[in-house]
Amino acid sequence: MNKSGYVAEATRIKVLEAVRELGYQPNLLARSLINQKSSFVYVIVPDVANPFYAELTKGVEMIAIREKYDIILSSAHRNELLEAKHLEAAKGRMADGVILVLPSMEEKKLAHYARQIPLVVVDRDVETDGVDTVFIDQLAGAQSAVKHLLDLGHRKIAYIAGDPSIQNNGLRHEGYCRSLESSNLKPEHEYFFQGDFTFESGCRAFTGYMAIPNERRPTALFAASDLMALGFMHNAYDHGVQIPRDISVVGFDDISMASIYSPSLTTVRHPYIAMGQVAMQHLLKKIAPNRTFEEAADLKNSLIIRNSTAPCTEKTGR
Amino acid sequence: MNKSGYVAEATRIKVLEAVRELGYQPNLLARSLINQKSSFVYVIVPDVANPFYAELTKGVEMIAIREKYDIILSSAHRNELLEAKHLEAAKGRMADGVILVLPSMEEKKLAHYARQIPLVVVDRDVETDGVDTVFIDQLAGAQSAVKHLLDLGHRKIAYIAGDPSIQNNGLRHEGYCRSLESSNLKPEHEYFFQGDFTFESGCRAFTGYMAIPNERRPTALFAASDLMALGFMHNAYDHGVQIPRDISVVGFDDISMASIYSPSLTTVRHPYIAMGQVAMQHLLKKIAPNRTFEEAADLKNSLIIRNSTAPCTEKTGR
DNA sequence: TTGTAGGCGTTATCAA
DNA sequence: TTGATAACGCCTACAA
């Protein structure tokens, strides 16, 4: 008994000496077995190579390390079978909890697993009771982006949408629509470009933009991801369209490139590190409901205004 | 015995039924204990949020998943105490192996741990026997970058160095020097800028560049990281210095931004995903020396020529 | 073919 | 205080 208990000083010293001499190291697996506590947390993300999830993992790690948790990281590739496989592995390995990011499995299944192992779902809103979530309603974030453009005097505001199968994309689109409507504008079909979150789809959107006759051409653009915004700007640069002089652009995510690009990109920051921290804090609360942990940081999207947006110079038709 | 052995068909069916009904799941921890094999691999990187290491982790995962290994990921922040701590944890948890990326601990210590647990070191060259490494000698990569500039006719080639404490940085610098010398040029002190791999240090280097009198000003630049190259280009753009018209720029790493920036950046690609794959293959070989695995991909840096480099237009003084 | 004993490395419990 | 013993959940091996 190294830590506590009633031990004679002499014995204690002897034991400690032996420990050093033999290089003894406790077997944590055996310890887990008896303690029913492995000090493992699974983090299941769509793709470990995605920088967003790398940041999220860092957030998780920052909290986990203080509580001596190790992180088992795996990719589920937005495939519910893989998600299930990893969840089963987590149970089999007696993980103390699971952080599941952007799962594609249905809510019922999520609830099912949540009953078997402490589970926190990130980046997806789940209504079912018992499923803990860390989710930022990106409606507000998208609205603030479009409001920024409206405040600058823009009225013809285009939108590049992301992958429709992802919940967050729908919310970003809805934020765009609502913001327009609150200014008595309505989303024009002509100003809607379907993308898939990638750089290339942003490039393609530029082609669509150029196809619009000059007098109706948008003076501003909101893209559902920074990568698409940058794709658009990239092509714009090549075609001599200047940003923000000819068109203001707002992105979403605040990837590292956003601040580095020329011009730097106005965007909505999605705080992945903080989300990872909060997710881990939720998990700790579930694992040890009696213990108290510091309050979680408040999570929200924030608009970062940089150099890709400027006041509208075009006289409005009204 | 679910898999093999001599079992009556009836019993087998009964057992399988019971398994389903009770939702039985084997406890992998207990299984590990008896098998002396945990199916865990530790991946210890400087920082989990760094996109390079995220890619490397993906490479490791691609191989690991086939052999049913789970990955325990952790950050050591280039701190040898943390590295040691994670290595001890790996031993304590009976990890089957460790992939240690860019360790800062001394070789003797590495060899010491390598004797205790299968260990593969990535991104650092270790001479000691018994320590397996995945390391690309970046000398050749750097040389090809500078040779490209020489081939374009450049003679005044500046260099932005990275963090001196990192082995790879030294090799990149040496590659720069050797390449120059092979063309009977020598590295000018005036053309050397000390950076630290960050975007900001690249920006600062631009200030240094501008301080050089016009007639001696370099017509080309090799930066030891893409981020520094982009920082330089960023400031160049702001000051009306055009790339590649006024100065050609080559980076190192091929970060995702390199292909997206305007102009896109000529750079030396460092193949992190492949390195992760190879590292995991080495580890598997160490764990099960008898089994054979597919041959590892050949690893080397490759020069990616994009739009930030162009022929030298300045008449040489000779 | 089936059942049972022993042990993997811990920790907790209970006599001594 | 200390030492012995059971148990965590699994697997191997040997006897039935």
Side-chain angles (χ1 to χ4, degrees):
Chain A
M1 316 188 184
N2 252 318
K3 302 170 190 179
S4 67
Y6 311 86
V7 195
E9 190 57 23
T11 322
R12 235 201 47 182
I13 294 185
K14 245 190 189 163
V15 168
L16 255 42
E17 240 169 56
V19 163
R20 193 147 343 130
E21 274 185 38
L22 300 175
Y24 167 79
Q25 212 191 353
N27 181 319
L28 298 179
L29 287 190
R31 194 175 277 180
S32 303
L33 198 57
I34 197 108
N35 285 341
Q36 301 287 50
K37 175 173 188 310
S38 61
S39 295
F40 286 138
V41 170
Y42 268 70
V43 175
I44 306 172
V45 300
D47 177 10
V48 300
N50 184 318
F52 296 146
Y53 305 130
E55 289 203 348
L56 184 126
T57 305
K58 187 198 180 87
V60 174
E61 189 192 36
M62 288 164 72
I63 307 297
I65 200 157
R66 291 208 286 258
E67 308 284 328
K68 313 241 180 265
Y69 275 94
D70 270 345
I71 292 172
I72 301 186
L73 183 66
S74 50
S75 302
H77 302 291
R78 307 232 66 218
N79 172 337
E80 47 184 305
L81 264 55
L82 277 173
E83 288 163 9
K85 202 189 102 182
H86 287 134
L87 281 164
E88 293 295 340
K91 285 195 299 173
R93 287 205 193 277
M94 296 181 52
D96 294 341
V98 175
I99 293 174
L100 182 56
V101 184
L102 200 63
S104 50
M105 65 171 54
E106 49 184 302
E107 280 201 33
K108 246 175 82 179
K109 285 231 163 195
L110 287 172
H112 170 76
Y113 282 110
R115 254 174 270 125
Q116 303 182 48
I117 189 168
L119 177 67
V120 173
V121 172
V122 175
D123 255 358
R124 175 159 153 201
D125 192 20
V126 179
E127 296 290 333
T128 317
D129 267 8
V131 181
D132 211 331
T133 60
V134 174
F135 178 74
I136 297 180
D137 188 339
Q138 306 186 1
L139 198 64
Q143 281 178 304
S144 67
V146 177
K147 182 174 182 306
H148 170 62
L149 293 171
L150 290 166
D151 288 349
L152 288 171
H154 297 282
R155 288 295 171 272
K156 293 184 291 193
I157 301 174
Y159 179 68
I160 313 182
D163 186 335
S165 78
I166 291 176
Q167 185 184 27
N168 283 327
N169 174 65
L171 289 169
R172 291 175 193 185
H173 186 207
E174 195 177 331
Y176 163 76
C177 295
R178 282 211 206 165
S179 217
L180 287 185
E181 282 156 9
S182 73
S183 288
N184 295 318
L185 296 164
K186 66 177 205 293
E188 300 287 341
H189 181 71
E190 194 176 21
Y191 293 171
F192 179 92
F193 303 106
Q194 181 64 54
D196 56 11
F197 288 130
T198 63
F199 183 80
E200 287 72 24
S201 70
C203 296
R204 284 195 296 275
F206 179 78
T207 313
Y209 158 84
M210 288 300 276
I212 298 173
N214 218 321
E215 68 277 12
R216 291 207 305 278
R217 204 171 277 170
T219 63
L221 166 75
F222 173 47
S225 80
D226 282 354
L227 233 33
M228 296 194 293
L230 293 174
F232 185 96
M233 285 160 73
H234 181 83
N235 257 8
Y237 176 88
D238 286 351
H239 288 77
V241 171
Q242 280 191 32
I243 290 162
R245 195 199 60 186
D246 299 328
I247 178 168
S248 284
V249 176
V250 180
F252 206 114
D253 290 330
D254 196 25
I255 62 179
S256 61
M257 224 177 304
S259 61
I260 288 174
Y261 210 81
S262 300
S264 58
L265 179 64
T266 295
T267 189
V268 178
R269 174 152 178 68
H270 194 57
Y272 271 105
I273 292 185
M275 288 176 79
Q277 296 185 39
V278 171
M280 187 64 203
Q281 283 165 348
H282 280 211
L283 206 51
L284 287 173
K285 235 173 247 174
K286 282 196 137 176
I287 293 168
N290 37 350
R291 281 196 52 190
T292 54
F293 300 97
E294 72 241 70
E295 247 336 278
D298 61 328
L299 294 177
K300 54 176 182 232
N301 290 319
S302 48
L303 183 68
I304 315 269
I305 297 174
R306 298 206 181 89
N307 299 322
S308 66
T309 46
C312 181
T313 52
E314 190 179 83
K315 290 184 286 286
T316 64
R318 299 197 169 192
Chain B
M1 314 189 184
N2 253 317
K3 300 171 189 179
S4 68
Y6 310 86
V7 195
E9 190 57 24
T11 321
R12 237 202 46 183
I13 295 187
K14 244 188 186 163
V15 167
L16 255 43
E17 240 167 57
V19 164
R20 192 150 341 134
E21 274 184 37
L22 299 175
Y24 168 79
Q25 213 191 352
N27 182 319
L28 298 180
L29 247 39
R31 192 175 278 181
S32 303
L33 199 56
I34 197 110
N35 285 342
Q36 299 289 52
K37 175 177 189 309
S38 61
S39 294
F40 286 137
V41 170
Y42 267 71
V43 176
I44 306 173
V45 300
D47 178 9
V48 301
N50 185 316
F52 297 145
Y53 306 130
E55 288 202 350
L56 184 127
T57 305
K58 188 197 180 86
V60 174
E61 189 192 36
M62 287 165 72
I63 306 297
I65 199 156
R66 293 208 286 261
E67 307 284 329
K68 313 242 180 266
Y69 275 94
D70 271 343
I71 292 171
I72 301 186
L73 183 67
S74 50
S75 303
H77 302 290
R78 307 233 66 220
N79 171 337
E80 48 184 304
L81 265 55
L82 277 173
E83 288 164 8
K85 202 189 100 181
H86 287 134
L87 281 164
E88 293 297 339
K91 286 194 299 173
R93 289 205 194 276
M94 296 179 53
D96 294 341
V98 175
I99 294 174
L100 182 55
V101 184
L102 200 61
S104 50
M105 64 171 56
E106 49 186 300
E107 280 201 34
K108 245 174 81 179
K109 285 232 162 196
L110 288 173
H112 169 76
Y113 283 110
R115 254 174 269 124
Q116 305 183 48
I117 189 169
L119 176 66
V120 173
V121 172
V122 176
D123 255 359
R124 173 159 155 201
D125 192 20
V126 179
E127 297 291 333
T128 317
D129 266 10
V131 181
D132 211 331
T133 60
V134 174
F135 178 74
I136 297 179
D137 188 341
Q138 305 187 1
L139 198 65
Q143 281 179 305
S144 67
V146 176
K147 183 175 182 304
H148 169 62
L149 292 171
L150 290 166
D151 288 349
L152 288 171
H154 296 282
R155 288 295 171 270
K156 294 185 288 194
I157 302 175
Y159 179 68
I160 313 182
D163 186 335
S165 78
I166 292 175
Q167 184 184 28
N168 282 326
N169 174 66
L171 289 168
R172 292 175 192 185
H173 186 209
E174 195 178 332
Y176 162 77
C177 296
R178 283 211 206 164
S179 217
L180 287 185
E181 281 155 9
S182 72
S183 288
N184 296 317
L185 295 165
K186 66 176 206 291
E188 301 287 343
H189 181 72
E190 194 176 19
Y191 294 171
F192 178 91
F193 303 107
Q194 182 64 54
D196 56 9
F197 288 131
T198 63
F199 183 80
E200 286 72 24
S201 69
C203 297
R204 283 194 297 274
F206 179 79
T207 313
Y209 159 83
M210 289 299 275
I212 299 174
N214 217 322
E215 67 278 10
R216 291 206 305 277
R217 206 171 276 171
T219 63
L221 166 75
F222 173 46
S225 80
D226 282 354
L227 233 31
M228 295 194 294
L230 293 174
F232 184 96
M233 286 161 74
H234 180 84
N235 257 10
Y237 176 89
D238 286 352
H239 288 76
V241 171
Q242 279 191 32
I243 291 163
R245 196 199 60 186
D246 299 328
I247 178 168
S248 284
V249 176
V250 180
F252 206 115
D253 289 332
D254 195 25
I255 62 179
S256 61
M257 226 176 303
S259 60
I260 287 174
Y261 209 81
S262 299
S264 58
L265 179 65
T266 295
T267 189
V268 178
R269 173 152 178 68
H270 194 57
Y272 271 106
I273 292 184
M275 289 178 77
Q277 295 183 31
V278 170
M280 187 64 203
Q281 283 165 349
H282 280 211
L283 207 49
L284 288 173
K285 236 174 247 172
K286 283 198 137 177
I287 294 168
N290 36 352
R291 282 196 51 189
T292 55
F293 301 98
E294 71 240 70
E295 248 335 278
D298 62 327
L299 294 177
K300 55 175 182 237
N301 288 320
S302 48
L303 183 69
I304 315 268
I305 297 173
R306 297 208 180 90
N307 300 323
S308 65
T309 47
C312 182
T313 53
E314 190 178 86
K315 290 184 288 280
T316 65
R318 299 196 170 193

